Every structure is written in C-alpha cells, then in structure tokens.
Amino acid sequence: MAGPRVDDIYDQVKAMAVSFRLRPGDRLNEVALSKDLGVSRTPLREALNRLVAERLFDFRPGQGFFCRPLDAQSVFDLFELRQIIETAAARAACAKASDEDFQTLRNELYAKGIDITGLTIEEAVTRDEAFHLAIAKLSGNMELLQTLTRINERIRYIRWISMSLDRVQRSKGEHKQVMQALMDRDADEAARVLGAHITKRMDQVQDAVRHGISSIYMEGSEDISTRIIEEVQE
Amino acid sequence: MAGPRVDDIYDQVKAMAVSFRLRPGDRLNEVALSKDLGVSRTPLREALNRLVAERLFDFRPGQGFFCRPLDAQSVFDLFELRQIIETAAARAACAKASDEDFQTLRNELYAKGIDITGLTIEEAVTRDEAFHLAIAKLSGNMELLQTLTRINERIRYIRWISMSLDRVQRSKGEHKQVMQALMDRDADEAARVLGAHITKRMDQVQDAVRHGISSIYMEGSEDISTRIIEEVQE
DNA sequence: GCACACAGATCTGTATACAGTTTTGTATAT
DNA sequence: ATATACAAAACTGTATACAGATCTGTGTGC
C-alpha cells in the first residue's frame, strides 16, 4: 500500500506545531517522535525540513529541530502582514469577483459565521478563518491565498488563546459590514472595514501577548474545546 | 569538519532552480544530482523538501521532485503580490524608519543603482532587488521582508529575461521619485510611485511572457552575463 | 502500422547502521 | 558549596541497502 507517507507525516507534525502540542522552544526528539508516528527518522526529517521552510520549526545544525517560539514582535509582524494582504485581497475581489461569487460567499461562509453559539472556540476560529480565506480566494490570486494560509497557520494558536480570553466573539457586525461593502463593490470601504476589523483583533492579541506569552504556552489546549455560551446582540 | 551540509545543499540547489539551470517541468534525478554535489540522497532530499515548501519544486509521490514550471498566471500573481507588499512596506517605512535610515538607503543602495553601465544584467537586477528589499526592511516588519524575499526568488529569472529583452533599464527616474517621496515621508506618494513602477515592470514582463514562456526557458543563461552598454538620459 | 502487454532497467521511498557531535551525569578538587 | 574535568549516554547527520513503484523499450498480435 504505502501511500504518500511524507505528506501524512507533514500534516501530522504541522498539526502538532500549530496547536502548540509541541511547546515552542523545545527541541524535538526525532527518535521519540518517529516512534510515536510509526515511521523512521528519514521521512520524518523530510517533513520537518518542509516545516523549517515554513518557519514553523527552527533548525540548528548539530542540534536538530526546535519548535519555533512566537515572540511578541513576530506576532505583531504577522498580524500586520495579514492586514496588508487581506485588505489588498478585498480590493482585488471587488474588481475581479462575480456577483455569483459574492452570493456564494454570503450564503455559505458568511452565514455559517453568524451564529457561533454552542461551537467550540476551535470551531469558531476555523469559521472565522474560512470567511477571511474565502475573500482572499476571490482576489483570484492563488499566490496571495497561499501566503495568507501560511500566515494563518502561524498565528492560529494565538487567535485561539485570544478568543478564549475574550470569551465573546465580536466579529459578527464587522463581518456584516465587510460583506455589504463587497457586494456593493466598494473597494475602499471593504478595505477600510476589513483593515479596522483586523486591527481590533490585533489589539486584543497584543493584550493577550502582553499578559504573558509564556503563560499562554501552558494553558490553552483545553480552553479551545470549551463551548461558546452566548453572543453579544448586534 | 563537516559543517552544515544540508544548508549548503539547499543553497546550491536553490541557486540552480532560481537561475533555471534546472529546467522547469523537468524531473529531478536524485542519484545524478547527489553525485554532482558529492553527497548522498538523504541530505539532498531534505534540502529538496525545503524547496518544495517554498514552491520552487513540486513533489509528486511516487515520481519524485520536479522543477516547478512558472506559468503566466503565477507570474502575474507573484508580481501583483509583490506590488501589494512593497507599497505597504513603503507606507510603513514612512511611518517607522528614521531619517538616518533613509540617508543610508540613499547613500548606499540607491546610489549604487543609478549607474549600471558596464554591469551584467544579473548584477543590475541584483542591485534593483537590493534597493527594493532595503525599503521592505525599513518597514521594520521582518515577516514582510522574508515573504518578499521568497517572492523575488521565484520571479528573478523572469526579471533577468525581461531586462535582457528590453536592453535598457528605465528604473532610474522612478527610483529617484520613490527615494524622494520616502525622504519627504509622503506615504501616499511613495506607495503610488512604487506601485506604478512595479506595474510598469509587470507590463514588460507580461509582454515577455506572452512572447512565449517556453522560448524563455531555452535562451537566457548567457544573456544575463552580457553587459549593459548605455543608459537612457533622464 | 498501431495498440497493447510484458520484461528489464531505472528510480523513488524508507529503514537501518554507524560515525561524530552534543549533552548529561558523576566524581574530584578547590 | 561551587566549579571543573572526564566519561558515558543520547542524539544528530549521512551513507547505504533494499523493497516497491514507475518508466522504458521491445516484441507480439491484430
């Protein structure tokens, strides 16, 4: 049988890194992990090298692979970059996407993000991310989409933590404004609202980070599986 | 002795891919290449996996590594993304960089890009790229810089070809405008001029690509080492 | 002349072994 | 008690071997 082993390993290790199941800064024990995954070190190291290129791991010659720590500056930079790319994507979408595209976006992803009561934080972030990625996709620029996807992977855990600290999802109204601006094909407005939305999130995240990024590493994990009770009235 | 073997292999293979010495679309023979480089397949494959993550190679399970072909759409997308990132970087630089930073930029990289007579096309593109990257660095956003660096690697060969077809470098006056706007800290003007500059380049490249991307693959190589004779008066 | 099938060669995918380095633990001296 | 030196254990880095998949080329049948 076989199947694409490296791709599977890559996905599994990436999932561990993204969810911080491997603690940032820690050295990765190749032998132990390869036994855990039931493969040998060779394909594991191949997968790890991909993740090094994606900046999810550090590689120090002679010492091995390290789960990459996320410092406050990197978090800020990644959010800023995300804002740059998403606002540009919204502008491009206004120019390039069809009315049908926007209808689909509204009916599928936007609609699913409205009521998140009863969802876990992980699920809520996933839906939020999906809406934002869908806009990026409507830009028609696959390289942009790919780049944003990578950025999202690196800050996903921070978004989980931030949301679990805040408890309440306040993006409903903002998403509505973004959706409206897109359907009006008002590029300036779409970029403005989306940019402000991300800035607000970034501020929340900065608070969380200031609160101590090291403590963030410890908790979590169970928090993202707690369910969201209520939603603010908009 | 030893030294970081994988990093070296990575650099060497990347250099081959970026300069299209490995022809796009071609399958890579691991045994042959590993013999060429004087290493075994194991570290070579590790390096190749990094390059897969950077989209310089494709990986098809069961078939191996393929030098990634650059289609017209990808070239367009990469240039568009480059424009988005660079204009945003210029805006950020206006807000964050110090006067001293701009002085250094002007005296070192800007000045070196003015007179390119006698340089090879490869050298001229390198200087152009260095100026643009320096602006990105002044944004203070290292993630942005990293992302742009990766994009540049993927379109470098196209820029070589485009410049060798055009023969004449017309960026002198445009760079001057960008430099001036930066020193005035006029973010809107800097973004506008830089954006227009990249758009112009993109148009030239699109012409080159329409001219036939397949023919582009064949020639080149020697063209980039031809020296630039004259420069337009500005 | 063309399509298909089969066999040989080639190449990829992974496990394993081993050399060399780094880390860890212990014992000794100050 | 602290620092240092040394030895043992653990781990990384790479080569190699082998199994399995893929490709290539030839020959046969239609």
Side-chain angles (χ1 to χ4, degrees):
Chain A
M1 243 277 289
R5 201 89 143 234
V6 176
D7 287 346
D8 290 345
I9 299 171
Y10 165 81
D11 287 338
Q12 289 181 60
V13 179
K14 180 190 256 183
M16 291 184 201
V18 165
S19 66
F20 279 33
R21 279 199 49 209
L22 300 170
R23 278 185 317 182
D26 280 5
R27 177 209 300 231
L28 198 132
N29 189 323
E30 295 173 17
V31 178
L33 186 55
S34 66
K35 273 183 187 162
D36 266 15
L37 299 175
V39 296
S40 77
R41 284 173 57 218
T42 308
L44 171 60
R45 282 176 60 98
E46 291 187 7
L48 285 169
N49 271 285
R50 287 196 206 174
L51 295 166
V52 166
E54 295 183 10
R55 312 268 156 204
L56 280 167
F57 284 87
D58 278 332
F59 174 72
R60 297 182 218 161
Q63 294 177 274
F65 298 89
F66 292 76
C67 204
R68 186 169 237 258
L70 254 191
D71 58 297
Q73 186 62 48
S74 297
V75 172
F76 179 84
D77 286 354
L78 287 166
F79 264 89
E80 190 179 56
L81 189 53
R82 189 191 146 204
Q83 188 183 44
I84 289 165
I85 289 174
E86 286 204 34
T87 53
R91 285 181 184 281
C94 284
K96 295 187 202 167
S98 69
D99 290 335
E100 209 175 7
D101 289 332
F102 287 131
Q103 283 295 344
T104 308
L105 174 68
R106 185 192 187 94
N107 298 336
E108 317 239 318
L109 293 164
Y110 168 72
K112 278 188 183 137
I114 292 178
D115 188 9
I116 57 170
T117 310
L119 298 183
T120 63
I121 285 168
E122 185 180 3
E123 289 162 346
V125 170
T126 299
R127 291 198 185 182
D128 183 63
E129 213 177 285
F131 178 66
H132 285 259
L133 280 175
I135 295 171
K137 192 173 185 182
L138 292 187
S139 74
N141 189 325
M142 289 302 110
E143 296 294 338
L144 184 152
L145 178 64
Q146 192 76 46
T147 303
L148 183 60
T149 302
R150 284 253 193 86
I151 293 168
N152 280 341
E153 285 164 355
R154 290 178 59 195
I155 55 178
R156 188 173 301 149
Y157 187 77
I158 298 290
R159 284 163 91 175
W160 284 347
I161 298 300
S162 171
M163 196 182 250
S164 69
L165 290 180
D166 264 37
R167 222 80 223 205
V168 184
Q169 161 95 314
R170 269 169 292 180
S171 62
K172 192 177 134 188
E174 287 159 28
H175 279 198
K176 187 178 179 184
Q177 285 181 284
V178 172
M179 194 67 241
Q180 189 59 52
L182 287 174
M183 298 197 79
D184 294 344
R185 292 183 185 278
D186 186 341
D188 288 336
E189 176 70 1
R192 193 185 65 75
V193 180
L194 188 54
H197 172 46
I198 297 173
T199 298
K200 191 193 265 188
R201 279 269 174 281
M202 179 157 33
D203 290 343
Q204 292 168 12
V205 163
Q206 289 294 95
D207 286 344
V209 168
R210 255 188 290 277
H211 191 270
I213 216 170
S214 50
S215 68
I216 281 172
Y217 290 159
M218 300 307 154
E219 39 178 321
S221 298
E222 38 250 343
D223 283 333
I224 63 165
S225 59
T226 58
R227 299 204 171 270
I228 293 160
I229 310 290
E230 59 174 347
E231 167 114 347
V232 285
Q233 205 71 337
E234 194 66 47
Chain B
M1 246 270 294
R5 202 88 144 236
V6 176
D7 288 345
D8 289 346
I9 299 171
Y10 165 80
D11 287 338
Q12 289 182 61
V13 179
K14 180 190 257 185
M16 290 184 202
V18 165
S19 66
F20 279 34
R21 279 200 48 208
L22 301 171
R23 277 185 318 181
D26 279 5
R27 179 209 300 231
L28 198 130
N29 189 323
E30 296 173 16
V31 178
L33 187 55
S34 66
K35 272 183 186 161
D36 266 14
L37 299 175
V39 296
S40 78
R41 284 173 57 218
T42 308
L44 171 60
R45 283 177 59 98
E46 291 187 7
L48 285 170
N49 270 285
R50 288 196 205 173
L51 295 166
V52 166
E54 295 182 11
R55 313 264 156 207
L56 279 167
F57 284 87
D58 278 332
F59 174 72
R60 298 182 218 160
Q63 293 178 274
F65 299 90
F66 293 76
C67 205
R68 185 168 237 259
L70 255 190
D71 58 298
Q73 186 62 48
S74 297
V75 172
F76 179 85
D77 286 354
L78 287 166
F79 264 89
E80 189 178 57
L81 189 53
R82 189 191 146 203
Q83 188 183 44
I84 289 166
I85 289 174
E86 287 204 35
T87 52
R91 286 182 184 280
C94 284
K96 295 187 202 167
S98 69
D99 290 335
E100 209 175 6
D101 288 333
F102 287 132
Q103 282 295 343
T104 307
L105 174 67
R106 185 192 186 93
N107 297 336
E108 316 240 321
L109 293 164
Y110 169 72
K112 279 191 182 135
I114 292 177
D115 187 9
I116 57 168
T117 309
L119 297 184
T120 63
I121 285 168
E122 185 179 5
E123 289 162 346
V125 170
T126 299
R127 291 198 185 181
D128 183 64
E129 212 178 286
F131 178 65
H132 286 259
L133 280 176
I135 295 171
K137 194 174 183 183
L138 292 187
S139 74
N141 190 324
M142 289 302 110
E143 295 294 339
L144 183 152
L145 179 62
Q146 193 76 46
T147 303
L148 183 60
T149 302
R150 284 254 193 85
I151 292 168
N152 281 341
E153 285 164 355
R154 290 178 59 195
I155 56 178
R156 189 173 300 149
Y157 187 78
I158 298 290
R159 284 163 91 176
W160 286 346
I161 298 300
S162 171
M163 197 183 249
S164 69
L165 289 180
D166 263 38
R167 222 80 223 206
V168 183
Q169 161 94 316
R170 268 169 291 180
S171 62
K172 193 177 133 188
E174 288 159 28
H175 278 198
K176 187 178 178 183
Q177 285 181 284
V178 171
M179 194 68 242
Q180 189 58 53
L182 287 175
M183 298 197 80
D184 295 343
R185 292 182 184 279
D186 187 341
D188 287 337
E189 175 70 2
R192 193 186 64 74
V193 180
L194 188 55
H197 172 46
I198 297 173
T199 298
K200 191 193 263 187
R201 279 270 173 281
M202 179 158 32
D203 289 343
Q204 292 169 12
V205 163
Q206 289 295 96
D207 286 345
V209 167
R210 254 187 291 277
H211 191 270
I213 216 170
S214 50
S215 68
I216 281 174
Y217 290 160
M218 298 308 153
E219 40 177 321
S221 296
E222 39 250 341
D223 284 332
I224 63 165
S225 58
T226 57
R227 301 203 171 268
I228 293 160
I229 310 289
E230 59 174 346
E231 167 113 348
V232 283
Q233 205 72 338
E234 193 67 44

